[in-house]
């Protein structure tokens, strides 16, 4: 499938990285795959070798392989906002950052303020983002290394098992990705490292609770961890658990939940969560989920949790049957099942979403949960058998995960994907297609292609009659010199009724500029009108 999946196809976006790349990049991907196979058979992998391996992956992913066109998620919006903030053209408070960029406090501090500080110190902004990604990736790999010990992996196999856990599409979160996904991945991995240990003391309870608080401070999706924590406190007892400590975990979890609820009520994060819930209810009520493409569900799972799909093959039916009876499986499913339902019913078609491929990072917690469960499944194999099977599993994981990262790092390949998402089947719901054309219009304007940008903005408005999109089209048409088209787009913006004050002010400025340009073309006194752009 990896070698045959057609390039640039929306039906195979998680697996066609190899075919989407030029041959030198494809050759490098094949070399990385071969190196992954060597890691499975190269003998004992100690802490120093693991640290060096993690450092090498972090630097390569965050700098040479960082994304180039910022099509995924809200990275384009975040970079524009940080650039404007750094230039002093936008003065936003902490709360305004949170509201505009859907960011939680720790997300703002790490992913926005640190790159901004680096920018003020003279670093290019994107290098500052990549430097944050390196630091987050190292913390992420350290968390995965800790989890290999929790899973009971043989000492000589901890490095290859850690690689099996790391080689997923979640690596894209550390590829100069100016979003919250990397921070969320780090916080979730460390939460898993604590929740999968015996609840044997007050200290263990405090570590679990602190880890959950970090997830909540990183992203509002951290609320879903309430279910597995309650399961861990009330469900089957694990070896090494202390009943009194489990009762304490229940009390602390409920206490944190109440504090978290108060935080959500009193902060912009709560308003954003409310919008997410409203979007969910609207989607379910209108049954828009019927428009979702099953291929997107499959691609998402292949991207964020490839090991979960391969692990049953690695261990066989008997090993899988034993694992399904373990408490670890029940814990993982209390978290995975609600997120799988969201994957199928909400993320692909929600009106505020961007489509499964662009919103891949909405499934970071799901991917890590399924991947860690798969790691627990394979860790029970005898060392010799597991080493042999990892020798073919790791290369496949490397091709899949690094293929996706490499495509985003290759500008022509990433541009082909952006165009395919907007125009090729399986088609997105209209609102999400409108977001794609809006992105393409902004990118065209960044490259000085005003006519192309105007056409994309007009198409975005056709799919979602938001007057802001029509005003962007009018502005772009005016910049291209097509004043008649600019007037048509301006008329479309006003056709649905009075504009809100801010948009009306923008419309008047554009109208004055059009009048001025028309007067200049006609040889009239256009110089008497002065409008500051």
């Amino acid at each position: 499938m990896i070698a045959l999946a057609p390039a640039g196809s929306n039906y195979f976006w998680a697996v066609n990285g190899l075919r989407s790349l030029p041959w030198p990049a494809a050759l490098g991907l094949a070399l990385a795959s071969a190196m992954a196979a060597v890691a499975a058979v190269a003998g004992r992998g100690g802490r120093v070798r693991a640290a060096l391996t993690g450092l090498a992956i972090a630097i390569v992913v965050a700098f040479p392989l960082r994304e180039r066109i910022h099509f995924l998620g809200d990275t384009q919006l975040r970079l524009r906002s940080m650039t404007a903030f750094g230039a002093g053209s936008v003065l936003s408070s902490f709360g305004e950052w949170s509201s505009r960029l859907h960011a939680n406090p720790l997300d703002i501090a790490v992913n926005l303020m640190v790159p901004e500080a680096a920018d003020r110190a003279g670093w290019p902004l994107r290098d500052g983002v990549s430097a944050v990604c390196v630091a987050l990736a190292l913390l992420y790999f350290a968390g995965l290394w800790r989890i290999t010990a929790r899973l009971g992996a043989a000492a000589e196999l901890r490095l290859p098992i850690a690689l099996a856990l790391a080689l997923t599409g979640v690596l894209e979160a550390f590829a100069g990705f100016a979003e919250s996904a990397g921070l969320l991945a780090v916080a979730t991995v460390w939460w898993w490292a604590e929740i999968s240990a015996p609840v044997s003391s007050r200290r263990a309870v405090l570590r679990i609770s602190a880890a959950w608080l970090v997830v909540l401070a990183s992203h509002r999706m951290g609320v879903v961890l309430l279910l597995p924590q309650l399961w861990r406190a009330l469900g089957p007892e694990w070896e090494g658990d202390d009943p009194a400590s489990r009762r304490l975990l229940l009390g602390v979890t409920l206490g944190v939940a109440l504090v978290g609820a108060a935080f959500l009520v009193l902060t912009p994060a709560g308003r954003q969560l409310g919008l997410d819930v409203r979007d969910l209810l609207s989607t379910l009520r209108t049954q828009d989920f019927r428009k979702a493409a099953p291929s997107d569900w499959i691609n998402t799972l292949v991207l964020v949790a490839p090991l979960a799909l391969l692990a049953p093959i690695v261990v066989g039916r008997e090993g899988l049957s034993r694992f399904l009876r373990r408490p670890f499986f029940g814990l993982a499913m209390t978290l995975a099942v609600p997120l799988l339902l969201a994957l199928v019913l909400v993320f692909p078609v929600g009106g505020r979403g961007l489509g499964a491929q662009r919103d891949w990072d909405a499934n970071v917690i799901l991917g890590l949960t399924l991947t860690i469960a798969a790691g627990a499944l394979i860790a029970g194999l005898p060392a010799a058998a597991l080493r042999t099977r990892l020798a073919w599993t790791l290369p496949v994981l490397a091709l899949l995960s690094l293929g996706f990262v490499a495509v985003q790092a290759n500008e022509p390949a990433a541009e082909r994907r952006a165009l395919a998402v907007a125009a090729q089947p399986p088609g997105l719901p209209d609102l999400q297609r409108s977001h794609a054309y809006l992105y393409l219009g902004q990118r065209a304007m960044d490259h000085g292609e005003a006519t192309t940008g105007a056409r994309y903005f007009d198409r975005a408005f056709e799919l979602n009659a938001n007057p802001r999109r029509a005003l962007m089209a009018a502005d772009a048409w005016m910049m291209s010199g097509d004043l008649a088209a600019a007037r048509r787009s301006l008329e479309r913006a006003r056709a649905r009724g009075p504009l809100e004050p801010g948009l009306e002010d923008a419309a008047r400025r554009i109208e004055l500029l059009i009048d001025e340009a028309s007067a200049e073309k006609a040889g009239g006194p256009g110089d008497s009108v002065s409008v500051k752009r």
Side-chain angles (χ1 to χ4, degrees), residues 442-461:
Q442 290 171 328
R443 179 165 174 78
M445 296 299 292
D446 289 343
H447 285 74
E449 301 169 358
T451 300
T452 301
R455 289 171 178 161
Y456 285 141
F457 289 141
D458 270 343
R459 183 62 177 137
F461 178 76

Side-chain angles (χ1 to χ4, degrees), residues 147-163:
I147 285 174
T148 60
R150 301 287 197 227
L151 300 180
E156 66 272 19
L157 289 179
R158 286 185 68 184
L159 176 55
I161 291 176
L163 280 174

Side-chain angles (χ1 to χ4, degrees), residues 470-491:
L471 292 178
M472 295 172 75
D475 193 37
W477 281 122
M478 187 189 61
M479 293 179 65
S480 74
D482 191 335
L483 302 183
R487 289 191 187 278
R488 287 196 296 270
S489 293
L490 192 59
E491 290 170 1

Side-chain angles (χ1 to χ4, degrees), residues 1-2 5-6 8-18 20 168-169 295-306 309 356-357 360 396-405 407-408 417:
M1 178 63 73
I2 297 173
S9 169
N10 289 336
Y11 289 103
F12 299 95
W13 53 266
V15 298
N16 63 1
L18 185 67
S20 299
T168 75
S295 61
D296 279 337
W297 308 337
I298 297 170
N299 276 286
T300 297
L301 290 176
V302 170
L303 178 68
V304 299
L309 303 179
Q357 185 175 166
W360 70 273
V396 174
L397 296 175
L399 284 175
L400 287 170
S401 58
L402 296 178
F404 185 75
V405 173
V407 165
Q408 313 310 322
R417 292 210 168 196

